[in-house]
Amino acid sequence: MTERDRRARRAWFEGRLTPLLDRLYGTALRLTRHPDDAEDIVAEAVARAWRNLDELRDPERFEAWLFHILTNVFISEWRRRRSHPQHATEAETPAPDELDGADFTLFQQLHQPFLLWWGSLEEQFFNSLLEQDLQRALDDLPEPFRVVMVLVELRGHRYAEVARLLDIPLGTVRSRLNRARGLLQKALWEQARDAGILSPGPAAEASGTKGESP
Amino acid sequence: MNPRELSCEEVIARLFDYLDRELDDRQAAEIEHHLSRCRDCFSRSEFEKRLRARLADSAGQPAPPRLQRRIRRLLDGFDEA
């Protein structure tokens, strides 16, 4: 490769990479929860992407390809830590008390079948929901649930792909995802309630016993 | 062939499979058929879509200057390789 080709290749790579950096870092941070680990993972993914750039068949798929590398870097690091329990920070299986609320649905708490004079609880909830509320709720999920949630909801991976990446059965992906969603929604509800954001009217007080189809 | 009529319970049980694009075309059409006719399930579906969109939007986080410098050094290293 000539010097000129190399410079063009680097400029192309950098031009594609730069706009993705915040999302790469954000995704890595949601996966690891630790800024230092997230930076390591992003840097390793970028280095690996550069080394393997020839494997990228369709340049238009650069973003998906790079995020896929990021996920793989995270997963190999995750596996390595799990195989060295002294470095593991969290257990593979969440304690039962961590699962309290796994069947929770925010919708049941917020939904009102008709609009009330004080406005809609759903709107109140969404209007005051901050990025940091979502990030905190996600970060607080037990690790096995958080990882599946990030891969499916943030990265749009299919269940079969997640099962393959994490080397777990498809049914486990589903059950972790269901529980993760319940726990996340419960955490968001509690955050909103504690912050006094929701000023429930009579409908919300009655909603604790409301079924799926009132 | 008309889509099969699903109950609300069936739709809610498979709602996330539908939103996650895990259903085949026929199954997805059954869910959509129900959603177009049932206000409660439609509202639930819209709520979950809205929440997941907000969650996806929250994924970006400004890369710290330290990481930006590290990436810059990496890129400079590529030039020398």
Side-chain angles (χ1 to χ4, degrees):
Chain A
M1 192 186 299
T2 66
E3 182 55 35
R4 195 171 156 187
D5 287 345
R6 198 197 303 277
R7 275 208 304 274
R9 190 174 159 96
R10 180 222 153 125
W12 182 88
F13 186 84
E14 188 173 357
R16 294 288 171 122
L17 171 68
T18 305
L20 301 177
L21 203 54
D22 289 354
R23 271 199 296 133
L24 284 168
Y25 176 69
T27 303
L29 192 57
R30 296 281 82 75
L31 285 167
T32 63
R33 294 195 308 175
H34 299 291
D36 288 353
D37 292 344
E39 290 187 23
D40 286 348
I41 283 171
V42 172
E44 173 58 24
V46 169
R48 213 181 273 191
W50 175 259
R51 281 200 303 276
N52 299 307
L53 195 53
D54 289 336
E55 290 173 12
L56 176 64
R57 298 271 173 263
D58 177 2
E60 292 308 311
R61 296 212 10 100
F62 180 79
E63 178 178 337
W65 179 73
L66 183 56
F67 272 95
H68 193 73
I69 294 175
L70 182 87
T71 305
N72 280 325
V73 171
F74 166 74
I75 288 166
S76 29
E77 179 60 18
W78 192 48
R79 288 215 179 106
R80 196 182 62 75
R81 290 194 184 200
R82 272 173 29 189
S83 62
H84 296 88
Q86 66 272 28
H87 297 303
T89 51
E90 290 173 77
E92 164 68 4
T93 308
D97 61 344
E98 288 185 290
L99 300 180
D100 187 29
D103 296 330
F104 186 92
T105 73
L106 199 44
F107 180 75
Q108 283 181 36
Q109 302 298 323
L110 299 176
H111 184 61
Q112 297 147 315
F114 44 87
L115 197 63
L116 299 163
W117 64 266
W118 57 80
S120 146
L121 274 182
E122 273 177 62
E123 287 306 314
Q124 273 185 50
F125 169 77
F126 278 116
N127 290 340
S128 29
L129 185 64
L130 302 176
E131 269 191 13
Q132 65 210 49
D133 298 330
L134 289 155
Q135 289 166 355
R136 191 166 59 234
L138 198 51
D139 286 356
D140 285 347
L141 291 177
E143 184 167 71
F145 297 167
R146 191 179 69 249
V147 170
V148 169
M149 189 78 171
V150 171
L151 295 180
V152 171
E153 292 244 346
L154 266 51
R155 292 308 318 144
H157 285 290
R158 309 297 290 264
Y159 299 171
E161 218 175 344
V162 175
R164 187 179 54 74
L165 286 165
L166 299 179
D167 196 20
I168 54 177
L170 195 61
T172 307
V173 173
R174 280 180 189 282
S175 61
R176 286 186 187 177
L177 202 50
N178 283 339
R179 288 174 167 186
R181 285 177 169 139
L183 292 169
L184 181 101
Q185 295 201 0
K186 183 164 186 249
L188 291 174
W189 165 254
E190 287 170 352
Q191 284 177 27
R193 189 196 57 199
D194 295 349
I197 288 161
L198 302 171
S199 47
E205 282 163 23
S207 68
T209 54
K210 199 162 68 176
E212 292 289 355
S213 312
Chain B
M1 195 179 79
N2 288 331
R4 191 167 68 93
E5 295 290 343
L6 300 177
S7 68
C8 293
E9 288 71 24
E10 286 176 295
V11 169
I12 296 304
R14 291 156 76 185
L15 184 60
F16 281 106
D17 282 355
Y18 167 69
L19 297 176
D20 291 335
R21 297 172 294 114
E22 292 287 329
L23 300 181
D24 62 32
D25 290 350
R26 185 185 53 79
Q27 293 169 322
E30 287 171 359
I31 301 273
E32 280 158 11
H33 177 71
H34 182 96
L35 292 180
S36 69
R37 283 163 173 71
C38 172
R39 191 178 303 279
D40 283 336
C41 292
F42 176 77
S43 303
R44 171 73 189 271
S45 171
E46 291 301 301
F47 178 87
E48 300 299 348
K49 277 198 231 171
R50 196 171 171 188
L51 185 59
R52 72 164 39 202
R54 293 290 296 272
L55 191 62
D57 287 347
S58 76
Q61 188 120 344
R66 186 175 67 167
L67 176 61
Q68 294 186 25
R69 286 195 298 274
R70 186 169 170 184
I71 298 295
R72 165 82 35 209
R73 281 199 303 277
L74 258 178
L75 294 171
D76 291 344
F78 297 159
D79 281 345
E80 292 150 17

